[in-house]
Amino acid sequence: MNLKRLALLFLITISYSSFAQKDGYWDKERATTKEIIVSARDRIVLKTEDLPVGTTEIVYRITLLDENQQMANSLVSVLKAIPDPTGISQGSAGAVFLMSKISGDDTCTYALFTSDENSKKYIEDGKTDKACYAQVDAVSKDAKRLSLDKSSCLGQNVTTLFFGFHSKNWVLNQKIVLEVVPWVDTKLNRGWNQDNKNEIISLCKTSTMAQKMANSDDFCVCILEKIMKQYRYTEFQKLLPIEKNKVYKDLGNTCYKDADISKNVFDDLRTQASALIKLQKYNEAIPKLNTIINEGKATALDYSSIGYCYILTKQYAKAIKFLKEGEKLDDTELMVKLNLAHVYLISDDYSEAKAIYKKYQTQNVTDSLSWKEKTKLDFTNFQKAGLPSKDFEKVLKLYN
């Protein structure tokens, strides 16, 4: 039993460690390793290599050596044993592990700056008020991890760091070794930071497709994800405007056909069309309903709605055409049947209209609205719109 428990605990520990690990790598190719001689009581600045795009953390080590001392091992070789920066943060053991095994008798203070200008001021006056980090107590060696979420030394506009050192040796020169290794987040390495993402989303929101939607968030996020997968940010920025437009169009069409997104798009169009019909803006509702129909996403009720709009705009032939299509789609949808009866009546085909009115007069067009009540409501709207009304009373008498 104890053996089983130990095995289970081991598996849980392994699973947790795998889950906690960050997706990235120590970039040894762009690590900084610099060795410099500093004169007694002098201040000097060392500039790191350019930090790669997607740097979210750095680990640095500072070691002061006596004249003939050599480093026992490099920081890069030490970090090979640590899969990601979380391993460094797990207690003081991680920091001790990073420390050089040797150092000289000399000491220094140091500070980190994110701009060349501020580091030059440090050389002049020794002040660290512009530093993003300062070690004010003299040390012979030091090692630290700085992360994007906890230190102002890292950020999207920071591409280089400047280490300023102040020698505390009052007589002799001292040798300082600086090592800096960046941790690169695999996703951010593609250059897609928050501002870059917002740039794409904003452009998408102004597109013709997006403006047809009441809520284009899902649609624009879909386009963003596909662009991020296909291009690094720098690659996308190098495209000509005409090439970018084609990318937007092609990916937009793909996203537009996505099942969930298209459902939301067409639901939005239906909502907009319904609101326009209530406002009696039938000419504006027709294109929205036509979009649904042309994309092959129409229901019988969509055909009923566009047929109703064509009746109110006195386009009777088009009304009959679309209502017939709706009838083929669902022969039991009574809203289609009623609008078909209306268009026959208004276009002087009383006999066709009468047969439909009488056939369904005892039924409901919805779960709470009767065929008769809906007929009366429609006739009232038709009269207000100035449609031919000479046979309206004849139809209502049929119901009696």
Side-chain angles (χ1 to χ4, degrees), residues 52 69 105 120 137 190 229 253 307 316 352 364 372 397:
Q69 280 182 303
D105 296 325
K120 286 177 180 176
D137 296 324
R190 297 182 65 79
K229 186 176 180 179
N253 286 333
Y316 306 134
E352 283 284 347
N364 279 8
K372 292 179 182 179
K397 284 179 181 178

Side-chain angles (χ1 to χ4, degrees), residues 335-375:
M335 292 294 282
V336 173
K337 300 287 188 185
L338 182 58
N339 282 326
L340 200 53
H342 290 337
V343 74
Y344 285 144
L345 181 70
I346 290 168
S347 58
D348 287 330
D349 196 344
Y350 179 75
S351 61
E352 283 284 347
K354 178 182 175 182
I356 300 173
Y357 283 127
K358 284 186 68 69
K359 183 175 181 179
Y360 301 104
Q361 64 176 314
T362 60
Q363 298 191 42
N364 279 8
V365 292
T366 70
D367 58 356
S368 59
L369 183 62
S370 72
W371 175 278
K372 292 179 182 179
E373 282 301 313
K374 178 59 174 163
T375 303

Side-chain angles (χ1 to χ4, degrees), residues 265-288:
V265 169
F266 298 124
D267 285 348
D268 286 345
L269 287 170
R270 290 183 183 101
T271 301
Q272 293 172 44
S274 177
L276 290 167
I277 290 170
K278 286 179 182 177
L279 294 171
Q280 299 177 13
K281 295 181 178 180
Y282 308 111
N283 283 327
E284 293 180 36
I286 287 171
K288 297 186 182 298

Side-chain angles (χ1 to χ4, degrees), residues 92-291:
S92 59
V96 171
F97 184 60
L98 292 176
M99 283 291 202
S100 171
K101 294 179 182 178
I102 58 170
S103 67
D105 296 325
D106 296 326
T107 60
C108 73
T109 58
Y110 68 90
L112 276 70
F113 301 90
T114 57
S115 75
D116 186 33
E117 180 184 358
N118 289 336
S119 69
K120 286 177 180 176
K121 287 182 180 178
Y122 169 77
I123 293 291
E124 295 170 5
D125 57 25
K127 293 181 180 179
T128 59
D129 54 311
K130 299 291 186 182
C132 59
Y133 176 79
Q135 173 61 46
V136 294
D137 296 324
V139 293
S140 63
K141 59 184 177 182
D142 202 5
K144 279 187 173 57
R145 168 200 172 211
L146 300 178
S147 63
L148 180 64
D149 56 342
K150 293 181 180 178
S151 174
S152 60
C153 291
L154 296 175
Q156 73 175 68
N157 295 321
V158 178
T159 57
T160 311
L161 286 174
F162 300 83
F163 281 74
F165 297 97
H166 186 186
S167 168
K168 293 302 178 180
N169 192 328
W170 285 79
V171 179
L172 302 174
N173 296 343
Q174 60 185 203
K175 182 162 63 173
I176 297 176
V177 177
L178 170 67
E179 299 167 280
V180 183
V181 183
W183 172 266
V184 180
D185 182 288
T186 303
K187 288 184 179 178
L188 294 180
N189 180 241
R190 297 182 65 79
W192 292 103
N193 59 38
Q194 202 63 35
D195 288 344
N196 297 340
K197 291 178 185 178
N198 285 333
E199 177 188 330
I200 301 298
I201 294 291
S202 298
L203 286 171
C204 171
K205 291 279 188 180
T206 63
S207 68
T208 305
M209 282 186 181
Q211 289 182 343
K212 290 179 182 178
M213 308 172 196
N215 187 343
S216 58
D217 288 354
D218 288 348
F219 174 71
C220 288
V221 167
C222 176
I223 289 179
L224 171 63
E225 288 176 346
K226 290 184 182 301
I227 289 176
M228 287 170 59
K229 186 176 180 179
Q230 192 168 331
Y231 299 94
R232 290 178 180 270
Y233 179 70
T234 52
E235 293 170 346
F236 186 73
Q237 288 300 89
K238 288 177 183 177
L239 295 179
L240 297 172
I242 192 170
E243 291 175 316
K244 285 185 181 179
N245 289 337
K246 187 176 187 307
V247 170
Y248 274 110
K249 183 179 178 181
D250 292 346
L251 297 182
N253 286 333
T254 302
C255 289
Y256 197 69
K257 292 172 184 175
D258 178 272
D260 291 334
I261 293 174
S262 66
K263 182 181 182 301
N264 292 336
V265 169
F266 298 124
D267 285 348
D268 286 345
L269 287 170
R270 290 183 183 101
T271 301
Q272 293 172 44
S274 177
L276 290 167
I277 290 170
K278 286 179 182 177
L279 294 171
Q280 299 177 13
K281 295 181 178 180
Y282 308 111
N283 283 327
E284 293 180 36
I286 287 171
K288 297 186 182 298
L289 293 166
N290 257 324
T291 298

